[in-house]
Amino acid sequence: MYTDITGPDLTSYRGSVAEPDDFDDFWRRTLTAAREHPIAVQADRVDTGLTTVDTYDVSFAGWDGQRIAAWLTVPAGSGADAPLPAVVEYIGYGGGRGLPTERLLWASAGVAHLLMDTRGQGSGWATGDTPDPDGTGPAIPGVMTRGIESPDTYYYRRLTTDAVRAVDAARDLDLIDSDRIAVLGGSQGGGLAIAVAGLVEGLAGVFPRVPFLCDHRHATQITDAYPYHELVDYLATHRTATDRVFGTLAYFDGVLHAARASAPAWFSVALMDPICPASTVYAAYNAWAGPKEITVWEYNGHEGGGPHEDADTLPRLRALFG
């Protein structure tokens, strides 16, 4: 069944997040500090036994210079003499980069694919290799409330910085054309793609699929599903922390990042999605400052369009990259 509003109420919905006065300064300060560390990309060829693609075990300096793992997959025989357009992909909640043979579509389509590992996750449904060494205060299991006492300590400050630095890393690789990079992700990965689009200039395109991390407070009021319900669990115990929690979350809300994004975007939303309700996605979509389209999956949940998303994305990438 539908899990949210529909029709004109949905397509005009703007969200409820209040923008902090120092939002831009916070992110300028955060990324300036991160970029004081050399990106220091390391890419080591790995033998996967596959003959149509080449794979590299990549690491780069993310938040506070901490090493972030990634897989780079390119068509077999690719070289620095003919750099490739690239897709930088971010992973859904609980997952990690997995095995190097798991995601081969984009390289099979002729583009470079940089898949960023997710710090401190990678144990829910796909393995990861990147720890989150920063300690925080009391938190509900999961990462939604890790360090939520302040935007300076919040988990998603670190993860969003990693995601921005993944684009920096892609631009530093000789195999990749730094002027032709798109970002993509589903759920948490879609939320990160939105944030990166608001923080990084010169992206060729953005593909947020059923994105998470948008219009947090509204989400907690209309769904019982996790991960948003981690916030509810936390606030049910920390009864006087509501204003502080949502004050922190505002710095990481996709609605505010979308308002700063100028690259062309192709969103997707599912009207029966209990995890990322449709209105939260539309709040970010309606705020998007650049060219945009949205695909609506009327009878789907959080899986969205599934393989149809990939089929729709391939011709759009060809048009973007030429």
Short mmCIF file of all heavy atoms in Angstrom, two decimals, residues 20 24 49 53 57 59 65 69 77 97 116 132 139 157-158 183 204 211 270 272 294 321:
data_model
loop_
_atom_site.label_atom_id
_atom_site.label_comp_id
_atom_site.label_asym_id
_atom_site.label_seq_id
_atom_site.Cartn_x
_atom_site.Cartn_y
_atom_site.Cartn_z
N PRO A 20 20.62 25.74 9.16
CA PRO A 20 21.49 26.44 10.13
C PRO A 20 22.16 27.65 9.48
O PRO A 20 22.52 27.62 8.29
CB PRO A 20 22.53 25.37 10.49
CG PRO A 20 21.92 24.06 10.09
CD PRO A 20 21.06 24.36 8.90
N ASP A 24 26.92 26.60 5.33
CA ASP A 24 27.99 26.64 4.33
C ASP A 24 29.36 26.76 4.98
O ASP A 24 30.33 26.14 4.53
CB ASP A 24 27.76 27.81 3.35
CG ASP A 24 26.54 27.59 2.48
OD1 ASP A 24 26.37 26.48 1.96
OD2 ASP A 24 25.75 28.54 2.34
N GLY A 49 40.58 -13.10 -11.79
CA GLY A 49 40.26 -14.19 -12.69
C GLY A 49 39.35 -13.79 -13.83
O GLY A 49 39.03 -14.60 -14.70
N VAL A 53 37.45 -7.20 -17.48
CA VAL A 53 37.67 -6.00 -16.68
C VAL A 53 38.99 -6.12 -15.94
O VAL A 53 39.47 -7.23 -15.66
CB VAL A 53 36.52 -5.75 -15.68
CG1 VAL A 53 35.20 -5.53 -16.39
CG2 VAL A 53 36.42 -6.89 -14.67
N ASP A 57 42.59 -2.51 -6.18
CA ASP A 57 42.30 -2.28 -4.77
C ASP A 57 42.81 -0.88 -4.44
O ASP A 57 44.02 -0.64 -4.43
CB ASP A 57 43.00 -3.34 -3.93
CG ASP A 57 42.62 -3.28 -2.46
OD1 ASP A 57 41.87 -2.37 -2.06
OD2 ASP A 57 43.08 -4.16 -1.70
N SER A 59 42.90 2.78 -2.12
CA SER A 59 42.67 3.48 -0.86
C SER A 59 43.05 4.94 -1.04
O SER A 59 43.86 5.29 -1.90
CB SER A 59 43.46 2.85 0.30
OG SER A 59 44.84 3.05 0.13
N GLY A 65 42.36 12.37 7.18
CA GLY A 65 43.44 11.61 6.58
C GLY A 65 43.32 10.12 6.74
O GLY A 65 44.23 9.37 6.34
N ALA A 69 38.89 2.54 1.89
CA ALA A 69 39.05 1.53 0.84
C ALA A 69 38.02 1.75 -0.28
O ALA A 69 36.94 2.32 -0.06
CB ALA A 69 38.89 0.13 1.43
N GLY A 77 42.39 -3.64 -20.21
CA GLY A 77 43.33 -2.96 -21.09
C GLY A 77 43.28 -1.46 -21.05
O GLY A 77 43.99 -0.79 -21.80
N ARG A 97 32.05 -2.53 0.60
CA ARG A 97 32.40 -2.66 -0.82
C ARG A 97 32.32 -4.10 -1.33
O ARG A 97 32.29 -4.34 -2.53
CB ARG A 97 33.79 -2.09 -1.09
CG ARG A 97 34.93 -2.85 -0.43
CD ARG A 97 36.28 -2.33 -0.87
NE ARG A 97 37.37 -3.08 -0.25
CZ ARG A 97 38.62 -3.05 -0.66
NH1 ARG A 97 38.96 -2.30 -1.71
NH2 ARG A 97 39.55 -3.75 -0.04
N MET A 116 33.12 3.22 -3.37
CA MET A 116 33.69 3.60 -2.08
C MET A 116 33.15 2.71 -0.97
O MET A 116 31.94 2.50 -0.84
CB MET A 116 33.35 5.06 -1.76
CG MET A 116 34.04 5.59 -0.50
SD MET A 116 33.43 7.21 0.03
CE MET A 116 32.00 6.75 1.03
N ASP A 132 35.72 2.77 11.44
CA ASP A 132 35.45 4.14 11.86
C ASP A 132 36.08 4.32 13.23
O ASP A 132 35.47 4.01 14.25
CB ASP A 132 33.94 4.39 11.93
CG ASP A 132 33.62 5.82 12.37
OD1 ASP A 132 34.43 6.72 12.09
OD2 ASP A 132 32.56 6.02 13.01
N ALA A 139 25.01 5.78 21.96
CA ALA A 139 24.32 5.71 20.67
C ALA A 139 23.48 4.44 20.59
O ALA A 139 23.81 3.43 21.21
CB ALA A 139 25.33 5.73 19.52
N ARG A 157 29.23 13.36 9.34
CA ARG A 157 30.25 14.34 8.95
C ARG A 157 31.47 13.61 8.39
O ARG A 157 32.03 14.01 7.37
CB ARG A 157 30.66 15.20 10.15
CG ARG A 157 31.62 16.32 9.78
CD ARG A 157 32.16 17.04 11.01
NE ARG A 157 32.89 18.25 10.63
CZ ARG A 157 33.76 18.86 11.42
NH1 ARG A 157 34.00 18.39 12.65
NH2 ARG A 157 34.39 19.95 11.03
N ARG A 158 31.85 12.54 9.03
CA ARG A 158 32.99 11.76 8.57
C ARG A 158 32.67 11.07 7.25
O ARG A 158 33.48 11.09 6.30
CB ARG A 158 33.40 10.75 9.64
CG ARG A 158 33.77 11.40 10.97
CD ARG A 158 34.40 10.45 11.96
NE ARG A 158 33.51 9.43 12.48
CZ ARG A 158 32.62 9.62 13.46
NH1 ARG A 158 32.48 10.83 14.00
NH2 ARG A 158 31.88 8.62 13.91
N VAL A 183 28.12 10.76 -9.95
CA VAL A 183 28.00 10.07 -8.68
C VAL A 183 26.64 9.39 -8.62
O VAL A 183 25.65 9.89 -9.17
CB VAL A 183 28.20 11.01 -7.48
CG1 VAL A 183 29.63 11.52 -7.44
CG2 VAL A 183 27.21 12.17 -7.50
N ALA A 204 29.43 15.65 -13.69
CA ALA A 204 28.70 15.50 -14.95
C ALA A 204 27.24 15.14 -14.72
O ALA A 204 26.36 15.51 -15.51
CB ALA A 204 29.36 14.44 -15.82
N PRO A 211 16.60 7.89 -2.30
CA PRO A 211 17.63 8.36 -1.36
C PRO A 211 17.14 8.46 0.09
O PRO A 211 16.00 8.84 0.37
CB PRO A 211 18.01 9.73 -1.90
CG PRO A 211 16.82 10.18 -2.68
CD PRO A 211 16.25 8.94 -3.29
N ALA A 270 9.97 5.50 -4.79
CA ALA A 270 8.99 4.42 -4.79
C ALA A 270 7.84 4.79 -3.85
O ALA A 270 8.07 5.14 -2.68
CB ALA A 270 9.63 3.11 -4.36
N MET A 272 5.57 3.03 -2.46
CA MET A 272 5.28 2.08 -1.39
C MET A 272 6.51 1.81 -0.54
O MET A 272 6.62 0.75 0.08
CB MET A 272 4.70 0.79 -1.97
CG MET A 272 3.35 0.99 -2.64
SD MET A 272 2.62 -0.57 -3.19
CE MET A 272 1.00 0.01 -3.75
N ILE A 294 12.70 12.85 -12.34
CA ILE A 294 12.44 11.83 -11.32
C ILE A 294 11.62 10.70 -11.93
O ILE A 294 10.66 10.95 -12.67
CB ILE A 294 11.74 12.42 -10.08
CG1 ILE A 294 11.71 11.40 -8.94
CG2 ILE A 294 10.37 12.96 -10.41
CD1 ILE A 294 11.36 12.01 -7.58
N PHE A 321 28.38 11.41 -21.13
CA PHE A 321 29.81 11.24 -21.38
C PHE A 321 30.19 11.32 -22.85
O PHE A 321 31.36 11.45 -23.19
CB PHE A 321 30.28 9.90 -20.80
CG PHE A 321 30.18 9.81 -19.29
CD1 PHE A 321 29.97 8.60 -18.66
CD2 PHE A 321 30.34 10.94 -18.50
CE1 PHE A 321 29.90 8.50 -17.28
CE2 PHE A 321 30.27 10.86 -17.12
CZ PHE A 321 30.05 9.64 -16.51
#
